[in-house]
Amino acid sequence: MTDTIVILDFGSQYTQLIARRVRELRVYCELLPHDASRAEIERLQPRGIILSGGPASVYDRGAPQLPEFLFDLQVPILGICYGMQLLAQQLGGRVAGSPRREYGHAKVWVDRAEGLLADLPDHLHVWMSHGDQVTALPDGFITLAHSDTCPFAAVADPARKIYALQFHPEVAHTPRGLHVLRNFLISVCGCAGDWTPAAFIASTREQIRARVGAERVLCALSGGVDSTVAASLVGSAIGEQLVCVFVDHGMLRQDEARAVVELFQQRLGLEIVAVDARAQFLEKLRGVSDPEAKRKIIGAEFIRVFEQTAGALAHSKPIRFLAQGTLYPDVIESRAPERRAAARIKTHHNVGGLPEDLAFELIEPLRYLFKDEVRAVGLELGLPDQVVYRQPFPGPGLAVRILGEVTQDDLDTLRAADAIVREEIENAGLSREVWQYFAILTPLKTVGVMGDGRTYESVVAVRAVTSADGMTADWARLPHDVLARISSRIINTVRGVNRVVYDITSKPPGTIEWE
């Protein structure tokens, strides 16, 4: 079985970064809510457990606590920030408010270059983010590092393999943080560090074959990176038992439906059934403006179309399984808030948007991968670059890029504007530098002048971001001449638009999509 690390999430803004860093070190990990059951954790047979930071104080009423059974699992534990303070409090130490809060860059001095801090210099530049700190260690603990204001910046109980850090090793502002995490994963937990795309593909194929047997699988195919890699992976495991269904829900980009069908039939050799459901989806969205409602309606309607298609394809035997390209960020952002110390961001159509009476059993081979890991798997499967490096596109499509009710006229307007954004960025040779780029049609109207006449027309926003995995993103610094061409072309050629604005919001605090 693959070496696995469990990360318990206490609500830190950096929790997903911990997972990313562990994966970078070629160790598989899963994020679980802080109140995960013993059965949930033991199912993964973890080699170690990492406790994330969090916004609470350990002594606050109702603050998240460590599971009582955690120390009975007898695996190494690493607590980070709030996780460190929980360990100290529950093992008999003391935690109090810091005399001086630390947020930002700090220097820590290494007292013992062993365990987590083995093979490191006598001082480290780190990132601190805390208002509380440990003031007295539990019995059995030793100090590994300190700072001028934090006497216990890194501590350990070597006998029980419990380690804790007041600083954040997962962020880029801690330059040697990856080394610290490697010491925990490899030296302390004994992980092999051999989780690679090839190893993932081999084990996932075995799991799919064992689960599917002789049954047929319907694959929800959008033509995007996620569903394409999922279809290719499932197809490589079960061959002709797979049939891909491409649903044109009317909210695709310009000429996308035709291009997707051609790609899969001619380049990838997969069996594909194309379904025109444009009128069906548009009718379901009539009068709906709330973004969460739109996502859930689209998710449910996709399933209904798949059920109808499966019935037509079933012949004498029903199709039992539905495969889709759900990714780990979809799962993380869609989790119900009552199961986590952090808030649900938004419902993804293929997670929280699924109907309760789903007629299929789901196969989601990419469910625990980040986007960059999916791309690596796609390359390992031999998919062409034009597929693997295609920019992400949300399942609900242009429906969540039209703010408010979705109408056919608005779809036509946005499609035309979006095509210009994509064409200009690609013509400028920036498509591999920018993670995602698109247009948004806002409900705002502004006064303008065209020729000698007054106009009162719509505002289009342009969004372009850089990112590695979609969990965090920064706005792309597009050249001014590219932005000027985009604005000029949209205003001059797209009817009903007289103003173009550029979004310079990072994620967080914003999300990549506007809805």
Side-chain angles (χ1 to χ4, degrees):
M1 181 176 176
T2 302
D3 291 337
T4 299
I5 296 293
V6 164
I7 302 169
L8 294 184
D9 181 9
F10 289 89
S12 169
Q13 61 179 316
Y14 303 134
T15 302
Q16 289 81 20
L17 276 179
I18 301 173
R20 292 295 305 117
R21 299 298 176 250
V22 172
R23 299 277 185 92
E24 285 175 24
L25 292 166
R26 296 171 58 175
V27 176
Y28 180 70
C29 65
E30 286 192 24
L31 274 174
L32 295 180
H34 68 91
D35 56 353
S37 69
R38 182 169 188 155
E40 287 178 279
I41 295 175
E42 289 184 332
R43 172 184 62 82
L44 296 170
Q45 300 179 37
R47 297 295 299 264
I49 294 173
I50 298 177
L51 313 176
S52 83
S57 292
V58 296
Y59 44 76
D60 286 348
R61 184 186 298 274
Q65 299 296 306
L66 291 179
E68 294 181 2
F69 57 81
L70 195 66
F71 303 107
D72 299 333
L73 300 179
Q74 297 185 331
V75 297
I77 298 171
L78 170 61
I80 298 174
C81 198
Y82 184 79
M84 173 187 191
Q85 295 159 19
L86 281 176
L87 286 170
Q89 182 195 54
Q90 294 193 218
L91 291 172
R94 289 196 303 274
V95 178
S98 305
R100 194 181 83 188
R101 297 181 177 186
E102 286 187 293
Y103 296 99
H105 296 282
K107 180 187 285 189
V108 300
W109 300 93
V110 175
D111 300 304
R112 296 172 182 251
E114 60 187 59
L116 287 185
L117 306 186
D119 302 317
L120 286 169
D122 63 358
H123 69 275
L124 302 172
H125 294 281
V126 303
W127 185 262
M128 294 280 197
S129 180
H130 66 99
D132 298 335
Q133 65 184 31
V134 176
T135 57
L137 294 179
D139 291 343
F141 276 77
I142 58 173
T143 303
L144 299 179
H146 71 278
S147 74
D148 291 343
T149 59
C150 181
F152 307 118
V155 301
D157 180 342
R160 288 190 286 179
K161 294 188 175 181
I162 300 175
Y163 297 83
L165 301 169
Q166 186 58 72
F167 60 87
H168 289 271
E170 69 273 23
V171 302
H173 301 298
T174 301
R176 304 300 293 271
L178 208 59
H179 185 108
V180 174
L181 289 173
R182 182 185 293 110
N183 282 341
F184 179 71
L185 300 173
I186 309 301
S187 302
V188 176
C189 298
C191 295
D194 58 359
W195 189 68
T196 63
F200 169 80
I201 291 169
S203 63
T204 303
R205 281 173 176 158
E206 291 179 11
Q207 294 166 12
I208 292 170
R209 291 186 188 116
R211 184 177 176 200
V212 170
E215 301 282 350
R216 296 177 74 198
V217 178
L218 198 72
C219 183
L221 189 63
S222 70
V225 180
D226 310 336
S227 66
T228 302
V229 173
S232 300
L233 182 52
V234 175
S236 72
I238 62 173
E240 294 181 355
Q241 293 169 244
L242 174 70
V243 57
C244 298
V245 176
F246 170 71
V247 177
D248 182 355
H249 58 359
M251 282 151 277
L252 299 173
R253 293 169 288 196
Q254 190 164 286
D255 298 326
E256 192 160 28
R258 176 188 53 79
V260 168
V261 172
E262 287 180 0
L263 170 69
F264 278 82
Q265 289 178 336
Q266 297 174 13
R267 293 289 305 274
L268 303 182
L270 291 171
E271 180 185 354
I272 182 168
V273 175
V275 179
D276 184 349
R278 290 175 291 180
Q280 181 175 335
F281 276 84
L282 200 57
E283 179 60 32
K284 289 288 183 180
L285 290 169
R286 185 187 300 275
V288 178
S289 59
D290 179 75
E292 281 287 282
K294 286 195 284 189
R295 287 175 175 274
K296 290 181 178 180
I297 287 169
I298 291 170
E301 201 61 24
F302 264 124
I303 295 300
R304 297 304 171 225
V305 173
F306 294 138
E307 289 172 348
Q308 294 162 10
T309 306
L313 296 172
H315 308 304
S316 60
K317 186 177 181 181
I319 295 178
R320 179 179 166 188
F321 294 99
L322 173 67
Q324 60 179 15
T326 306
L327 301 195
Y328 209 13
D330 302 341
V331 176
I332 292 168
E333 290 188 342
S334 298
R335 274 181 180 153
E338 64 270 12
R339 291 291 294 153
R340 304 180 70 239
R344 178 173 59 207
I345 306 302
K346 60 186 175 185
T347 297
H348 289 263
H349 77 287
N350 55 346
V351 184
L354 296 176
E356 293 182 4
D357 59 342
L358 184 65
F360 300 102
E361 293 181 38
L362 286 178
I363 293 178
E364 298 174 310
L366 313 178
R367 185 178 178 85
Y368 295 106
L369 297 189
F370 291 95
K371 178 73 77 173
D372 56 324
E373 294 167 338
V374 172
R375 295 193 199 279
V377 168
L379 292 174
E380 188 70 28
L381 287 166
L383 295 177
D385 281 5
Q386 72 182 91
V387 173
V388 172
Y389 290 105
R390 189 173 184 228
Q391 66 158 314
F393 186 61
L398 301 182
V400 292
R401 294 177 180 173
I402 293 173
L403 307 190
E405 182 183 1
V406 179
T407 68
Q408 187 61 59
D409 286 346
D410 284 347
L411 284 167
D412 292 341
T413 298
L414 180 56
R415 240 188 292 271
D418 183 73
I420 291 170
V421 171
R422 291 186 293 119
E423 184 177 305
E424 288 296 340
I425 289 177
E426 288 158 14
N427 287 346
L430 300 170
S431 59
R432 291 287 288 272
E433 296 177 28
V434 184
W435 164 270
Q436 205 166 351
Y437 42 94
F438 53 89
I440 304 104
L441 183 61
T442 78
L444 302 175
K445 291 186 181 295
T446 65
V447 174
V449 178
M450 289 189 179
D452 295 322
R454 174 187 186 274
T455 63
Y456 188 62
E457 295 178 328
S458 296
V459 177
V460 162
V462 175
R463 179 77 158 142
V465 298
T466 57
S467 180
D469 51 34
M471 294 305 300
T472 60
D474 194 12
W475 61 278
R477 274 64 171 175
L478 295 181
H480 290 180
D481 59 334
V482 173
L483 290 172
R485 285 195 299 271
I486 289 171
S487 176
S488 177
R489 285 188 61 193
I490 290 176
I491 291 171
N492 287 325
T493 64
V494 180
R495 286 188 173 276
V497 178
N498 71 353
R499 192 177 299 269
V500 175
V501 297
Y502 188 51
D503 182 354
I504 58 169
T505 311
S506 298
K507 175 186 179 181
T511 55
I512 294 176
E513 299 291 343
W514 277 33
E515 287 195 342

